[in-house]
Structures are given as C-alpha cells and as structure tokens.
Amino acid sequence: MSKEKSFSRILRNILGPSALQRLWGDGLHSAEDDPVELSRMLLTTRGEVSGVAIADRVLTLIDDLDEPGFAQFCAALRDQFEVDIDAVLAAANAAKSGAPAALKALQAAAEPPRQELFRRLNAAPRGTARLVAFRRRLLDAQRADPSFGPIDIDLRHLLRSWFNRGFLVPARIDWQTSAAVLEKIIAYEAVHAIDNWDDLRQRLAPADRRCFAFFHPALPNEPLIFVEVALTRGLATSIHEVLKSPRPVLSPDEADTAIFYSISNCQAGLAGISFGAFLIKQVAADLQAELPGLRVFSTLSPVPGLARWIAGQGHTPEALADDPDALLAAAADYLLTAKDRAGRPMDPVARFHLGNGAELHRLNLRADLSPKGVSQSCGVMVNYLYDLDQVEARHEAHAASGDIAAARSVRARLSNKGAHSA
Amino acid sequence: MSKEKSFSRILRNILGPSALQRLWGDGLHSAEDDPVELSRMLLTTRGEVSGVAIADRVLTLIDDLDEPGFAQFCAALRDQFEVDIDAVLAAANAAKSGAPAALKALQAAAEPPRQELFRRLNAAPRGTARLVAFRRRLLDAQRADPSFGPIDIDLRHLLRSWFNRGFLVPARIDWQTSAAVLEKIIAYEAVHAIDNWDDLRQRLAPADRRCFAFFHPALPNEPLIFVEVALTRGLATSIHEVLKSPRPVLSPDEADTAIFYSISNCQAGLAGISFGAFLIKQVAADLQAELPGLRVFSTLSPVPGLARWIAGQGHTPEALADDPDALLAAAADYLLTAKDRAGRPMDPVARFHLGNGAELHRLNLRADLSPKGVSQSCGVMVNYLYDLDQVEARHEAHAASGDIAAARSVRARLSNKGAHSA
Amino acid sequence: MSKEKSFSRILRNILGPSALQRLWGDGLHSAEDDPVELSRMLLTTRGEVSGVAIADRVLTLIDDLDEPGFAQFCAALRDQFEVDIDAVLAAANAAKSGAPAALKALQAAAEPPRQELFRRLNAAPRGTARLVAFRRRLLDAQRADPSFGPIDIDLRHLLRSWFNRGFLVPARIDWQTSAAVLEKIIAYEAVHAIDNWDDLRQRLAPADRRCFAFFHPALPNEPLIFVEVALTRGLATSIHEVLKSPRPVLSPDEADTAIFYSISNCQAGLAGISFGAFLIKQVAADLQAELPGLRVFSTLSPVPGLARWIAGQGHTPEALADDPDALLAAAADYLLTAKDRAGRPMDPVARFHLGNGAELHRLNLRADLSPKGVSQSCGVMVNYLYDLDQVEARHEAHAASGDIAAARSVRARLSNKGAHSA
Amino acid sequence: MSKEKSFSRILRNILGPSALQRLWGDGLHSAEDDPVELSRMLLTTRGEVSGVAIADRVLTLIDDLDEPGFAQFCAALRDQFEVDIDAVLAAANAAKSGAPAALKALQAAAEPPRQELFRRLNAAPRGTARLVAFRRRLLDAQRADPSFGPIDIDLRHLLRSWFNRGFLVPARIDWQTSAAVLEKIIAYEAVHAIDNWDDLRQRLAPADRRCFAFFHPALPNEPLIFVEVALTRGLATSIHEVLKSPRPVLSPDEADTAIFYSISNCQAGLAGISFGAFLIKQVAADLQAELPGLRVFSTLSPVPGLARWIAGQGHTPEALADDPDALLAAAADYLLTAKDRAGRPMDPVARFHLGNGAELHRLNLRADLSPKGVSQSCGVMVNYLYDLDQVEARHEAHAASGDIAAARSVRARLSNKGAHSA
C-alpha cells in the first residue's frame, strides 16, 4: 500500500472522475477550471477526501497555466489570501487580556490564509513535490514582479518547517543506487559537470570515492543536496588529479584525507533553505567513524567570482595568468577582503564554507584548467579546511564578527599584509 | 548512515561531552542545567551543530523534570516565550503600507517565540518523538493549569503541519512485521484488549484478518493509529464472532464484507490531530482494489456512553437487560438524539464515524458480553456502514447541518419516531 | 513478482485446476492420486510447467499420506528408484575406454533415479522447504525400517550440496526481526527454553545481548541454526547470571567477553548437515570486528550426558551433589576420557565444541539449577573457549588424533591425572 | 553482517595472511602456488575455515593462470580427479548385496573426485560466481581440447542442481533498479544492442515497457537471463516500431498485447542450463495477472540463420529482397522444414521458441532493417505466439514428435505446400 498509489486509488475509487461535480454541485460547475475559486473552496471544505481531490485539481490547473496566467494566479494569492491588517489590530487589542482564546485568535488573524492553503495543497498526491515545483516558478515570477514577495514568505516559512533538519534522511549514493536517483545526480551536478554515465561511474564506483545526499521522505528519488568526496593521501590541489581517468585507486584504509570536491543543491524550489553545512559536517563525522585513518577534511573549491573581481579592479585576468605571485595576491585579496553589501565574503563559495566554520587553508594555481575554471576562477582553486574540533567555534566567530579563519600562508599572499589584520 | 546514529555520532565526534562548555564558555556554565536559559540560548545561537546539541540538552533536562519542575518550565514557556502584543500592534500598523518587509515583520511579531523554539528542538536526535512525548505531558499539566493552553496552541499548530496528511506513510501490519512494532500494537489497542502474543497472532496471521496503520518517517517503529479488519461473509454482529478462537478461516476471495472492528489512536501526544477518517477510507479503498469481491465496509463498534446515558435518564441499565425492545429504543434514542454541547452526537464513537460520513446501519444486542462491553455499552454494538459512494456527501451534510445518516430499521427503533425527522 | 506467488499463479493461470488431466489425458487419470506413479511420470516429462505441476502434486500427495502410506512410498523409492547394478557394471566396463560419453553414461547409471526425482520435486512451489519436511519424516520412518537408508543417502547428498556453505545467509536476529521469524526462535530454542515473548525480548532487545542465525534463500522465515550471545565483563559461569531478569545492562563497548550460551539447530530435516561450527566462528569474527574490546569468546554449555554417565559408573548423581570435588572429578573424567564408539567424546556438546577446535576451559558447579540442568548435567556447566588464533589448529589436531584441548585447571581435576596424558 | 564481507573478515581475522602456512606447515610451503596440489589438499582437509581459505587460494591461482597454464590445470582435473573405473566395478559388485553401506560406497566410487572439489570451491568467498567464471573459461578451453569434456559434465551437473528452478529469483528490472545491475543489462543485451543509458531508459522507464530477469541468491547484481517486453495494441510487426524514439506511450491498461522483443542469456558460464522457457511463461502469467486486458503474448524475433540458409540453397539473399513472395516462401521453408542434425528446427531462435511450445504465428518483411537484421535475417522478423492455454501441450507435442505449431497463413507461404504436412 504505497502512499502515492493509494492516494490516487482513493481519488479514483471513492470519488470517480466526476467527484468534484457530484460533491459541489452547480457551485463547482463554474469553478472547476478556476484555480483561484477552487483555492477558496479548498479553504472552506470540510471533506477530507474531497479536500484532497480539490487540492489535486488546483495543483493540476496551476501546472497548466502559461506565464501570464501564472502571474495572474500569484496576484490573486498576493491580494486575496493576504492578512487583514484591521482584523490583526482588532485581535491584538483583544489579546491584551492574555486570554488563551484571544491569543489563538490573534495568531489566526496574523497568519495569511495562503499558509493554510499551502498546507492543504500539500495533502494532494505528491503534494510536497508539487509545491516545491510551484515555488521554483514563483521565484522566477518574483524576479519579474517583486510584489509577489509575501507569497514566498509564507511558502518558505512552511517549507523550512517541513524540511527541518529533523526530517532529512541522509543516504549514501553509489553504484548500487537506482538509476532514477543517479540521473538526478547527473542533472543536478553544478560544479564539475558529469558528462555521462561512465563519468558518473568514475565518481561513484571506485573504493576511494564517496557521494552522500540528503533526502526528504515526501520527495522519493529526489536528492535535496549532495556532496562528492575523494579519499586521498595528502591534500588534492587540482581538480584534474581528482577527476582524471584512469587513475590508480587507493584503498580507503590508506587514505588520510577526505576531499569534498563538489557540493550541489538540487532543488531550485528550496532555494534559501540550506542543508549544505549540516551535510558536510555529518559526512565528515560519518567518514571519520568509518575510516579512523582520516585526519584531514577539506574541500577543493572554485573561486567563481575571482575573474570578474579582478576585472572590476581594472586588471585583465589574462595578464595575471603569467604572474603567479600577482594572481595569488589577487586571490588572497579577493577572498579575504572583498565583501558583499551585507559585509559577508563576496565570493559565494567562500561565503558558504567560511560561514560554515571552515578555514581558508590553501590557494592552488592552475588547479582547474577547464574553460569554466579559467574564465571564472582564473584556474585557481581553494582548499577550505573543516577542522572538526574548530568548525563550530569558527562558525560562531565568523557569524558574530565576520572573522575569517585563514592559514598564515594564505594571509602571507595579501598584497597589503595589514588589510585584514582583525 | 542511519539518521539517528549519525546525529549522535556528530554530537559525540564533533562536539564531545564538553561541547556546550567549550562552545559557550562561562555564559553556559551557569546555564547548562537550566532548560529555560538554554531554550533562550537556542533561539539565538547561529551554530548549526551546537544548536542541535543545545536542543538535545534542553529535551534531556525537560525529561528529567519532576511534576512541579515541569509546571515551572511550562509557566516560563507561557510567559517568557509569548507574543509581545505591543510589538504586534506596531508591526500591524506598519504593515498597512503593504510593503513585503513590513508584512514579514508582522508575521514574525505575531508568532510566539516558542514556535521557533519547538522547531529548533525538533532538530535534536529523535526530536519529533521527544516533542510528541513532551506534548503528552503538557496536556496532562494543562488539565491542572489551563493557563498553559497557549503553549499547546503553538505546539499543536506545528505538529498538525508536520503530521500533515501528505507526510503519513500507510503500512500493513502483519505477522511479518517486526516485534518492535507489534509490541506497540499490543500496548496501544484501546478497544478490545490484546491479551498476549498468541492473541495478536490470531488477529494478524490468518488470511481473513488485516491490520493497517499510519506511520510518520520521523517516528520509526511508532504507529500513529491502526485499524483491525476482519474479512467476512455478511455483516459481523458480535465481537465474539470476530475474536473467538479457534474459528474457521475464510479465503479472502470469498469475503464480501470488511469489518473494521477496532481502531486505536496510539500517541497521546498527538491528541486532537486526527488520522482516523483518512485511514478508514484509505484502507477501504485499498481493500476494494485488492479484493474486488468486497461489497460492504462496516465497523463493529461499541456504544461506550450508552449505560451512563441510560442511567442519566433515570433508568438502570440492568433493568433494560431483559427487555430487548426497550434497550434497542434506548440505544436508538441515545445515538440519534443525544447531543454534546457543540450539538454533535454525544457518543464519542458515533461522533467519530458519523462525522466521517458513515451510516448508523444496525444495532446489535448481546454483541459484546465482556465486562467492559456490558458495563459501558449494555452489550450493544453498532455497525457503522462506510458506503464509499456516499461517504463524502454524508460527511459534508453532517458537518453542515448535523444530519445523521441512519438505516430505516434503526430509526424505527426510536421511542418517539418523530424525534429526529429532520 | 515474488517467487512463490508467481509460481502458484503460473500453475493456476497456465494450467488451471485440471491441468494434469488435460496434459496427460487418460494415462494420468488412473495416476493422479498415486505419488509413485506420478513420480515416475515426473522423471519422464519434458514439460517445464507441467513438471512443476506434477512435482507440486506429488509433494501434496506425500503430505497427505498416513504413516503406513508413507512407509509404502518409501519402500517404492527404495526399490523402484534404485540404481541398476548391472547397468552400472556395463557402463563401468564401457567407460574403461575413457571416452567422455561413456564416462557420462557411467555417472548417469551410477546415480539412483530418485536423485533426479528429488531435484525435480525441488522445483515445485516451496519445493526445498517441503523436501526438508519430507526428510524429517523419512528419518523417523528410517528408525522403524533401516532399509530406507539408501533413500536418505541420496537426499542428504543433494541437501548438502544445496545447503553448501556458499549459499547460507547469515543474519542478525533482534527485536526488529519479524514475528514470523521470532516465533520460530521460541519454538526451536533447544537448550534453555524460551518461556514466552517477554523472555525472548530479554534475550534480544538489551544492548548486551545478540542473536545470529543462518538462513537459506529457499527457506524464507526459517532459521537453520541460531546462537544466542551475552556480552559480559569476565566469563559468565552460571546460566542464571545470564538469564536473570531484571539485571543491569552492560554497554557493548565495555564488554570484554562474548558468551555463546545457547546454540540450536532448527531443522530436523537437515540433521547431519552441520552449520554450527561455521556460525560460531563467523559470529566471533563479526563481533570482534564490531567490538574491538572483546578479547574472550566462550560458550557456557551444559554437560547433558553427565548424570547418566555417573549413574553408569555405579554412582548416584545425588550422592555427588554434596561433594564438589568428587563431582568436578567426575565431570573432568567424563569430558576428557569417556568416548563414544567412534572414539569421539561421549558427551554430545563436548563432541561438538571440541570438534570445532574449542578448548575445555572451565568447569562450573551449581551453574544450572533448573530441573533439566540438575537431572542431566548435575548442575554443571562448561566454558568452551574459542581462541580464534588456535581454533583451526586445534580443530585439525582433534580431528586427526582425537587430542582434546583442555585448560590445566580442568586436567587437574581428573581423578587419574595420567588418564589422558596423550 | 553481509555474507561476503563476513567471509573475507573471517579469513582475515581468524586466519591472517599467513594462514595457510601456519595451518599446513612445510607441506604447504611447496604447494602454496600449485593449484593442483592445493586442490588435492582441499579434498582431504577437515578444517572448515582453512578449507575456505584453501578454496579461495585455489580460485585465485586459477584466475592468474595464462592459457597454457589453464589447459594444464584442466588436464590435471581430467586425469587426476577422475573416477577410478576399477573401484567402481568393485563397488558395483559389492553393491549387488543391496546393503545400504555398499550402495553408498558405489555412489562414492562412481562420483569423480572433482565434483566434491567443485563443491568445496563453492564455499570460498564469491565461490559460485567464480565457478561460473571458471566454467566460461573451461568451455573455451574445451573447444581447443575436447578431452576436457568430462570436467564439464561434472561442473554442469552441479550448476544445474544449484541453479535449479526452485532457487531462481524473478525480479522486475526498471528505472528504479541499481546502476550496478543496469550496466549488466546494457552489456548482456544480445539481440538489439543498447547503445547507451538513454537508450536503456527508453526500454525501461516508459509505462508501456517492461523488463524481467532471473537472479540467483549467490550471484547478487548478476542477471542470469532477461526479457524485454513492449505493451502494445495489436501485434508489433517491426522492431523499428518498438524501439523508435520518441514515440507515443500507451497506458498499460489499454494494451492488449505483450511483445517479447528481446531475450538474452547473460552468463556464458551457465551455457546449456536453460532458464528462458520458464522466464517467458512466468512473465506472461504475471503480466496477465497484473493487466487483465492483455490477450496476446507474442515475441518479435529475428531469423538469424535465414540469409545463410538461402545462400546455401544457391540463392543470393539480395536477389530475394525485391521479391516479397519469394522471400516469404524462403522464410517459411526455412523455419518449417530446415532441420539440424538432431532433427530440430535449424534456426536457433525458432528452435528455442517452438521448443517452448510457441506457435510460428506471422512472418514480417522489412521488419528489421538494421545492418545485422538485413545481413542475417534478410530483414524478416517472426512473431512466435505464446498461447498460455496451448503452450504446454504444444511443448510436449513438439518434444515428442517434432510437430511445429504454425498459423495457416504461414504454412500457406511454403513453396511446396505438402512439405510438412505432418
């Protein structure tokens, strides 16, 4: 009695194809193709099974909307399922009494109706997956029309609760994994593209390669995030070293280092709900438990904003290509001193790993000579070190004061040594 | 890499036993045994792993609290993690502008901080299970001190979202099921007690017996609710018929009726978050798909409030025991006309099934002669019929107008035939 | 598409209930209830599916035979499916040429037809399980009529090949295991009876208890043999210590000793096909890999022939009960010097463990005061030590020369110290 | 405690790298690299664990042998592990008495020692898989030196028993299957090559495509045989129709026909141990149970010997290409009248399906225009019909008398209508 099949079976068996009409009579007749009207019905129905049927219908209708239709639906969500401020004010005044019922009423008043709508849509067959897909589209629409922002506030709020750390399921991905999952790995790999299944095999099957992902029970076959790991002796300092084929395979027992050489978020519809820090720390802890010989946990990461930043400084990246010292200085300057508007590291990869509590450990020249590696990162790659004993303290320190943990050898590359003495 | 083990391993490996001290220094020193202080820290920490560690610690401390200590913790949750009404009013006024940021701020202001606290506690190892256990205790405490009500409003709100229909996993329970789950079935059976494992075997192993449950991915081995089913030819009209042993076993292909003879909620900490209606309908739909010969889906249910109601009418149930007609009339009167304060059927079992859209189909005398059956239900049992074609319409009708679907033969037993002509 | 269901489905779908008649016409008509005649048909049919149908029928008919009928069937197997000696002689003479075809013919001639019959019966639904059940009955019948011996030679030959070490599947049994398997554990426990499910839980659920079994893919839910293990600090020297309840539970990490306190063969139909030695050694190796703190692997075993042997020596076991030294001397004499006709240790448990290469390590008085423990073993239990570094060498030495590895302290108990100086 | 890992762990833990030396002392010293000598030891050792270690060593040594070395080893197997004919004669004479012990002795004498050797090798880690690999090499060697035939008689005898129908595990292969299995499907597809993973996906993922395989518990991840099925409306009469991409996907409920368009044996080392007939019949029965709308089960098969046969008749296949009637007549003549030396259909595919009890139902021109389809089959493909009501009777009839079941329309194509009137 698999969840999804049973759901569909119920809708078919209990309700039949004309269920909505039968249940809702003429009122529905006019509404059955109108996702806004059906959404309103969904909020008022008391029918458990018919609720699921309506939710299913709403999601199907949304799916069929073209771009203007989708924007129109979002506009309705924004305007017609919004909080009634006057009602909130009245409820808040009443709640001054501190009476439980009044406090409950305040909360009800302060929650936009679309939150409950999303909860009910979630009960449809494959509801969670469809809401994640809906959010992907919503984020696109929001780029065109920022007034949709409040819709996403509600949806993200729910997704954050549903994709709470406590509900994530970690799993190893290997050559025993089903093709249905593996094709997602190929599709979602965002750092070093996987060309084909042979390439994938090279990353999963050898004894010195690992891959781990987080899943959610409501999204079977859909990884949320995954990380690819190479077990090595000593630090890997170029991606070619890691990905070349053929290469000698190391026995895991002989490895002393785990290199996280690629980490990819999979679900655009879960943007802003982050899993990466926990995945890396969990994988590091698990690997250490399995392979006590591992002493070093480090990434081998691109510096995707480097070339653009150099250009912004008035240099041409090409010019630096022949001057290793200058390029290293530029990389050190960029990673240690360039900030975004919020005062965080400008480089997105640095932002992620330093935010997690990693140390900027080593700069590597000519470490990624692929077209993308050259054009974005000037061929530079960085090892961010996850020192399990320090990572939480560094994470807190960085969050509190922006402190960047960096190896002395990296700081020594700064063009102005005092730049970031703090 | 199982979820729970990995969690614990991280806490142990990354953090070590003195993790909190190390991370929090002297500030923690004074707080480390104070669940309220730690809860406050939990809301402000930015550390992902240390957040999990603190959450774990808070839940452990709560667990160790005695009754007065628990009440004290609840009082703190009530008072110190409540909404700031003035802040809500200010935010609501600001939100009149309709600016997304202001709307977001309103929502943040209107959500009591304990909701976020519960979300963060949920990330601890076995967090969801521990929060469900916490709520069981909270409900007990609330009986003694109703002012804890608002805490439960928040917790129930979250649990309802996390135990959303879309996240429930239906599963068959049978003799292949693990003992760890089966011992829960024995413990949780609330209608007709399961005496021992042999008794359990009689209910699970024969080909004409079925049992289904809902599970939640975050509560492995813990059924949320389960229903026991007997496949029969014709309606079962006494529980003895169903439970006697030995008895001839029917081939499922020959059954025309599925009798739901017991349905038990398992988690006191999930009280008020109902799964039963959906489980029955799902099981009925699944059974019909598997066994096309099934034509009738019906319960065989007690009438647990009957004896008390008869006593309240000034009769002694014993007096009616020898007068079948009078007892049937009393049962019909009770089930069709007696209401609770909210105008719903007074009998809790009737309330559940009629509320689901079932029909009050048949009254059976001397149908449960166990001590409990006699003392509560005067030996009467009822068949509530789940007619899959009608169940949703009846559910809606009952919800809208209080209409009770009852067979003519049942209505004919009313002492005053016009009593419920509506 | 589960194996068994598919099989039955084929027989039903393709063949229908009258399949045999349809396929075999009138010839079958007279044979359809005659297992001997059908067995002969089974050896000649070329139909793959009808072969399965006939095999199924034969096994069903055998199952329905009463004792005299079964003996009659065995007599037919013995006489009518035996090797034709003259044919063997002819084939052997022809094979002197060394021609492959002639060698093949010799083998065919030398193999009794009932071997092929058993192979074909094995293809019936649940064939292997039914053949194992058949053998149990055959062994009983053989006790009454030893002339059935040659049948078992053939059947055991096949079962030995099918239950070859390479096909056994080791599995841990714990409280997560299905009830269908666990009830077999209760039923099959042969050393210290498991009274009920609570008793079973005490042996499986605590962190310092383990149970392992061998399964065979063709016998799902049917353990072949299992061993119960207690993790302890120091040697357990009485069974009461191991089985008492409640008792403090030890963290597995703190254990230094694994006590194999019960080992039970489950399938009477697999008598003489031994799995025990390998199971113990495999479990010991696995436990050591999982828990590096374990240093000692030992049994705590009964001495089931002791009381009888003492009686045979003209003593009354009761008389020795009050004389610890005399009882220890008797136990040492019995275990070290008493032999069966084949020159192996007379005590069956000693024979098994010493044969495996264990050392007779320690004698324990008043170690099993249960009625069975007293009446058979005079309350004595023995620790047989499995020293993983020595076990193979000792096994070989014992097999070659009958050498018994025994601790000096045990030898010191011999009444005549020189008795077994060899 | 997975089987294979445990095995290796035992060998490592108990025995250590120098186990053989330790156990066997100087005797081994000279033998440790000699597979023949070790094989002889393996037959005499009583050590269970050391037996496994020696078996492992023997298989590893064999694996390392080059071609002449392998032939030399086979020669030893042939000569030194053969039956002793004189011993058989003596034993047969002794067995005339009918004494069980004498009969047992006869059997022992008649069984070549290499059979027991193979059984013991099977107990090594991955023993079964390695013996299957050994047999593949043996069959190659036998082509060069037919005197190795008797070795294969013994090995095939064992493999037939171990791969007995009762031990096969049917499984569906789909896009949820692990990549480790799917890459084998790509590698083993023998009829219509699978170009890459996208091609594979087209054959597995769509709702109207199925694939089923038989597995053996001792060969995880290794299909023994698999069949690919297309669900269609009406008979598919060209392979292009089946394999083209993109194509509209049919809902399985609407299909009335199952086309078995490819069936591949996977294990060269299991040649001559046939699984195909049973797989097709089982799949047909399973599909019918799942999809009651299916009425027709048919293959779409090549005629791989047609072009060669036409050439043998003195025609050029090219000449017939433009004369449909002539080509059809040639195909009918070939399939219905051309026989191999044993009197069976000359075409191997026809031999297989007609032998299974299928009907030669339809000839299709221009049905496979791939280079292989044209060069071998002149573009012709055949539908062999599996009529579940007839298949067993036809199978028996064909086996008994060589009768070919063919549709009238096919017979009508014979150049000499009376050719196969029988």
Side-chain angles (χ1 to χ4, degrees), chain A residues 3 7 52 115-124 127-128 131 158 162 167 218, chain B residues 156-169 214-217 224 270 273-275 278:
Chain A
K3 188 163 50 168
F7 257 139
V52 171
Q115 268 199 33
E116 180 62 17
L117 175 64
F118 289 138
R119 272 188 219 102
R120 294 189 175 206
L121 289 174
N122 190 43
T128 311
L131 281 176
L158 284 173
W162 291 337
F167 296 136
Chain B
R156 189 173 51 203
H157 182 77
L158 284 174
L159 290 173
R160 212 166 252 167
S161 185
W162 290 337
F163 286 80
N164 188 294
R165 175 65 195 85
F167 296 138
L168 302 185
V169 180
F214 274 144
F215 288 83
H216 188 279
L224 308 183
L270 293 174
I273 301 169
S274 94
F275 316 109
F278 221 104

Side-chain angles (χ1 to χ4, degrees), chain C residues 1 3 6 9 45-48 50 107 115 119 154 157 161-162 164 168 277 282 286 392 395-396, chain D residues 1 3 6 9 45-47 50 107 111 115 119 154 161-162 164 168 277 282 286 392 395-396:
Chain C
M1 151 162 143
K3 185 164 54 168
S6 285
R9 213 183 280 157
T45 183
R46 298 188 207 81
E48 287 139 343
S50 53
Q107 272 201 57
Q115 269 201 31
R119 271 187 221 104
D154 289 314
H157 181 78
S161 184
W162 291 336
N164 187 294
L168 301 185
Q282 174 143 1
D286 282 347
E392 281 296 290
H395 163 71
E396 295 277 346
Chain D
M1 146 163 144
K3 187 162 52 168
S6 284
R9 211 183 282 155
T45 182
R46 298 187 206 81
S50 52
Q107 273 202 52
E111 186 185 278
Q115 269 202 32
R119 273 188 221 103
D154 289 314
S161 185
W162 291 336
N164 187 295
L168 302 186
Q282 175 143 358
D286 282 348
E392 281 296 290
H395 163 70
E396 295 277 345

Side-chain angles (χ1 to χ4, degrees), chain D residues 28-114:
Chain D
L28 181 72
H29 205 65
S30 57
E32 62 179 333
D33 291 331
D34 179 348
V36 176
E37 197 52 43
L38 282 174
S39 294
R40 209 170 283 126
M41 277 187 177
L42 182 53
L43 281 179
T44 57
T45 182
R46 298 187 206 81
E48 287 139 344
V49 178
S50 52
V52 171
I54 299 172
D56 188 37
R57 178 88 182 138
V58 170
L59 288 169
T60 302
L61 290 173
I62 294 175
D63 223 38
D64 291 345
L65 291 174
D66 60 8
E67 219 173 305
F70 188 81
Q72 211 174 327
F73 179 71
C74 288
L77 278 185
R78 180 194 60 205
D79 300 334
Q80 302 174 32
F81 295 81
E82 181 52 275
V83 146
D84 174 346
I85 303 281
D86 292 331
V88 176
L89 285 169
N93 279 312
K96 284 182 173 168
S97 70
L103 285 165
K104 188 173 179 179
L106 169 57
Q107 273 202 52
E111 186 185 278
R114 59 187 167 246

Side-chain angles (χ1 to χ4, degrees), chain A residues 1 3 6 9 45-47 50 107 115 119 154 157 161-162 164 168 277 282 286 392 395-396, chain B residues 1 3 6 9 45-48 50 107 111 115 119 154 161-162 164 168 282 286 392 395-396:
Chain A
M1 157 161 136
K3 188 163 50 168
S6 284
R9 213 183 281 155
T45 183
R46 298 188 206 81
S50 52
Q107 274 201 52
Q115 268 199 33
R119 272 188 219 102
D154 290 313
H157 181 77
S161 185
W162 291 337
N164 188 295
L168 301 186
Q282 174 142 1
D286 281 347
E392 281 296 289
H395 163 70
E396 295 276 345
Chain B
M1 150 164 142
K3 185 163 54 168
S6 285
R9 212 183 282 156
T45 184
R46 297 190 207 78
E48 287 138 344
S50 53
Q107 273 201 54
E111 187 185 278
Q115 270 201 33
R119 270 187 222 103
D154 290 315
S161 185
W162 290 337
N164 188 294
L168 302 185
Q282 174 143 1
D286 282 347
E392 281 297 289
H395 164 69
E396 295 276 345

Side-chain angles (χ1 to χ4, degrees), chain C residues 185-196 199-200 203 228 243 262 264 370 372:
Chain C
I185 298 292
I186 295 179
Y188 293 143
E189 159 68 60
V191 187
H192 304 290
I194 300 175
D195 294 334
N196 51 44
D199 193 0
L200 178 68
R203 303 198 192 185
E228 296 166 67
L243 295 182
S262 180
S264 299
S370 70
K372 183 177 161 192

Side-chain angles (χ1 to χ4, degrees), chain D residues 237-422:
Chain D
T237 55
S238 92
I239 193 65
H240 174 69
E241 226 179 282
V242 171
L243 295 183
K244 75 182 166 196
S245 170
R247 56 170 186 78
V249 171
L250 190 69
S251 160
D253 293 332
E254 291 169 28
D256 58 10
T257 302
I259 297 291
F260 299 76
Y261 67 89
S262 180
I263 180 159
S264 299
N265 280 294
C266 307
Q267 308 295 330
L270 293 175
I273 301 169
S274 93
F275 316 109
F278 222 104
L279 179 61
I280 291 180
K281 291 171 190 176
Q282 175 143 358
V283 167
D286 282 348
L287 283 173
Q288 180 135 81
E290 183 198 341
L291 300 169
L294 293 180
R295 311 213 176 289
V296 176
F297 298 88
S298 169
T299 74
L300 179 64
S301 306
V303 194
L306 180 59
R308 181 194 308 222
W309 181 80
I310 288 174
Q313 303 294 102
H315 304 287
T316 56
E318 293 73 20
L320 293 184
D322 295 332
D323 184 346
D325 286 336
L327 183 51
L328 285 170
D333 288 353
Y334 171 60
L335 291 167
L336 287 169
T337 68
K339 305 292 179 189
D340 70 2
R341 273 190 243 168
R344 301 172 306 170
M346 179 181 288
D347 189 76
V349 174
R351 194 157 63 229
F352 175 70
H353 291 299
L354 297 173
N356 290 343
E359 181 201 70
L360 176 47
H361 186 66
R362 197 185 141 108
L363 306 174
N364 305 292
L365 289 187
R366 302 183 57 79
D368 179 1
L369 299 179
S370 70
K372 182 177 161 194
V374 169
S375 71
Q376 294 186 348
S377 305
C378 306
V380 176
M381 297 193 84
V382 173
N383 296 116
Y384 296 101
L385 191 79
Y386 279 77
D387 178 337
L388 298 185
D389 287 335
Q390 307 278 347
V391 71
E392 281 296 290
R394 282 173 174 162
H395 163 70
E396 295 277 345
H398 181 76
S401 63
D403 270 9
I404 291 180
R408 196 168 304 175
S409 61
V410 175
R411 289 204 184 282
R413 289 292 178 182
L414 279 169
S415 54
N416 171 357
K417 303 314 183 233
H420 197 72
S421 60

